[in-house]
Amino acid sequence: MVSVNPLTQLDLPTLRRRRSMKWRRYPDDVLPLWVAEMDTPLAPPVVDALSQAVHLGDTGYATAGRLAEAFAGFAFHRFGWWPDPAHCVLVGDVAQGIVEVLTVVTAPGDVVLIGGPTYPPFRRLIPRTGRVLRENPMARGADGRFRLDLDRLASDLSAPDVKAYLLVNPHNPAGTVPTRAELAAVAAMCEKHGVRLLSDEIHAPLVFPGSQFVPVLSLPEADRAIAFVSASKAWNLAGLKSALAVAGPRAVTDLRKIPEDAGISAGLFGVLASDAAFRAGGSWLEDLMAGLDHNRMLLESLLAKHLPGIGYAVPEATFLAWLDCTDLGLGDDPAAAFLERGRVALSSGPDFGGMGRGYARLNFATSPEILTEGVLRMAAAVTPIR
Ligand SMILES: Cc1ncc(COP(=O)(O)O)c(C=O)c1O
């Protein structure tokens, strides 16, 4: 089959007709490179599944159907790991799943540790559960890449009030993929200190050549962990609502404590689309990854040419670039200047916590043309007006 880059199929006027958050938050003169939606059409198997449901009027409440089996098949094929479908629970989305699980495995007032910089919704959602969010800063290497800081983690996990650690693997916004050895060390540390390990693996299908995603539950040390998976990022299904919480062998009892109606906030379209994506969306995903791989390198050359003051560690995974703009003199929130003066929308670094000061996150899941235009607009925002 001829491969087609899903990122070059939709032009700007077509994308501007979209009603999703990415395209509606800002006025039409702003180029949106912010929230984690992709500028792609749907994968053909997803189109088929949703069309059939529309024709059937199949728009009632969701049931999980055989989604867990579909995910297990995908995970086995892609990561060599077979999760037990009986240990999976349907939830509306990853964020909701994490909240449900935290409510079961921790108590109000307990500390939930998370590797910073932190995906902004977690900074709001976790405190809303009555738990206390504490950042465990990742370490910035000489290459500008943020990785787990195992020494700091060992010390932070030993605090008696820490009861859960939320790992984000691959990491948003850093774009890093922890190694098997790092994960084993994290799992062992959590076990030693009686801290529950939760692993957000939403970006797992989006790992580039050169790095390898290791599902935390594939490690024997992590048999009490709970992972969260979804097709929503890799196949752009976020608005359809469907994710799975997956329990390690010693966490199954906890997962069963989640109220039975937790899955009610999942959408049937989300389940059907995700099922189709996991079962038959593999070749589309390969084409997408080739396009994203091209874009992550294109971004490097565009920044080198037009904005050499920006620090960019090419991500190992995700379609998100975590840009160090501290040398540009744009203050704590460079995205504000890019928006105001360049009419291009990135995600604001400070929304990711203190470690995000001077940073901005750019979503490169778009066409090379739009990406190029975005960087030119950013450059225009920093060029002194003559
Ligand atoms: C790391 C991470 N976790 C969770 C989410 C949110 O996922 P959901 O829409 O399934 O709650 C995102 C969305 O971008 C994300 O990047």
Side-chain angles (χ1 to χ4, degrees):
M1 230 165 70
V2 186
S3 70
V4 171
N5 180 356
L7 296 163
T8 57
Q9 302 307 302
L10 303 172
D11 61 14
L12 193 55
T14 308
L15 288 164
R16 289 225 182 265
R17 285 173 30 223
R18 287 191 165 177
R19 272 78 52 93
S20 63
M21 192 191 278
K22 182 179 186 184
W23 290 93
R24 290 292 141 159
R25 166 75 52 95
Y26 298 102
D28 266 3
D29 66 325
V30 171
L31 200 61
L33 300 179
W34 63 294
V35 70
E37 296 178 19
M38 298 195 292
D39 296 345
T40 59
L42 290 172
V46 172
V47 173
D48 289 347
L50 293 177
S51 308
Q52 280 178 33
V54 167
H55 287 299
L56 199 59
D58 197 4
T59 49
Y61 295 112
T63 61
R66 296 191 55 80
L67 178 61
E69 287 77 3
F71 171 68
F74 173 78
F76 184 69
H77 184 71
R78 201 155 174 98
F79 314 130
W81 164 62
W82 177 263
D84 185 341
H87 296 173
C88 298
V89 166
L90 177 68
V91 287
D93 54 36
V94 164
Q96 184 225 350
I98 290 170
V99 165
E100 297 285 358
V101 166
L102 279 178
T103 309
V104 168
V105 301
T106 62
D110 285 351
V111 171
V112 179
L113 200 65
I114 186 165
T118 307
Y119 172 62
F122 292 153
R123 291 169 33 83
R124 299 185 289 270
L125 281 174
I126 293 174
R128 248 189 263 152
T129 66
R131 277 65 178 167
V132 178
L133 187 69
R134 186 175 297 159
E135 236 181 39
N136 163 256
M138 295 170 89
R140 190 186 149 126
D143 55 359
R145 207 179 290 288
F146 284 91
R147 303 209 71 90
L148 291 173
D149 180 343
L150 292 178
D151 292 335
R152 174 76 194 254
L153 192 58
S155 141
D156 287 355
L157 284 172
S158 70
D161 51 358
V162 174
K163 302 296 180 198
Y165 173 59
L166 177 55
L167 175 76
V168 180
N169 172 25
H171 193 266
N172 167 14
T176 32
V177 183
T179 62
R180 182 179 297 275
E182 285 173 325
L183 289 176
V186 169
M189 283 190 256
C190 285
E191 201 51 34
K192 176 175 168 199
H193 296 292
V195 172
R196 295 306 295 263
L197 175 57
L198 311 186
S199 184
D200 174 347
E201 302 185 351
I202 196 168
H203 291 280
L206 298 167
V207 174
F208 295 109
S211 299
Q212 204 203 337
F213 169 74
V214 178
V216 85
L217 292 177
S218 67
L219 302 175
E221 298 88 342
D223 61 353
R224 224 159 63 96
I226 297 181
F228 302 87
V229 301
S230 173
S232 68
K233 291 298 126 185
W235 286 273
N236 203 36
L237 309 174
L240 299 185
K241 296 290 162 202
S242 159
L244 293 169
V246 189
R250 283 203 298 139
V252 178
T253 325
D254 289 323
L255 201 61
R256 300 242 156 92
K257 288 188 198 143
I258 290 182
E260 250 177 51
D261 58 4
I264 200 75
S265 54
L268 182 55
F269 276 18
V271 173
L272 299 174
S274 305
D275 186 285
F278 285 137
R279 283 180 204 276
S283 66
W284 187 89
L285 179 63
E286 289 311 321
D287 292 344
L288 172 75
M289 289 312 293
L292 291 176
D293 197 5
H294 173 80
N295 281 5
R296 70 179 177 143
M297 305 317 293
L298 173 65
L299 181 57
E300 184 177 49
S301 59
L302 287 169
L303 291 174
K305 185 165 172 201
H306 301 289
L307 283 163
I310 288 187
Y312 168 57
V314 178
E316 298 168 342
T318 80
F319 46 79
L320 305 164
W322 187 233
L323 303 179
D324 177 357
C325 307
T326 43
D327 286 348
L328 296 184
L330 299 177
D332 280 355
D333 187 7
F338 293 139
L339 178 62
E340 201 181 297
R341 307 210 290 259
R343 309 309 283 163
V344 55
L346 277 70
S347 301
S348 286
D351 288 351
F352 293 76
M355 292 180 75
R357 271 191 228 118
Y359 279 76
R361 194 194 71 177
L362 181 149
N363 172 351
F364 57 84
T366 190
S367 66
E369 290 72 28
I370 292 178
L371 182 59
T372 304
E373 170 68 15
V375 173
L376 292 176
R377 288 181 182 215
M378 289 164 65
V382 299
T383 309
I385 301 157
R386 284 173 231 272

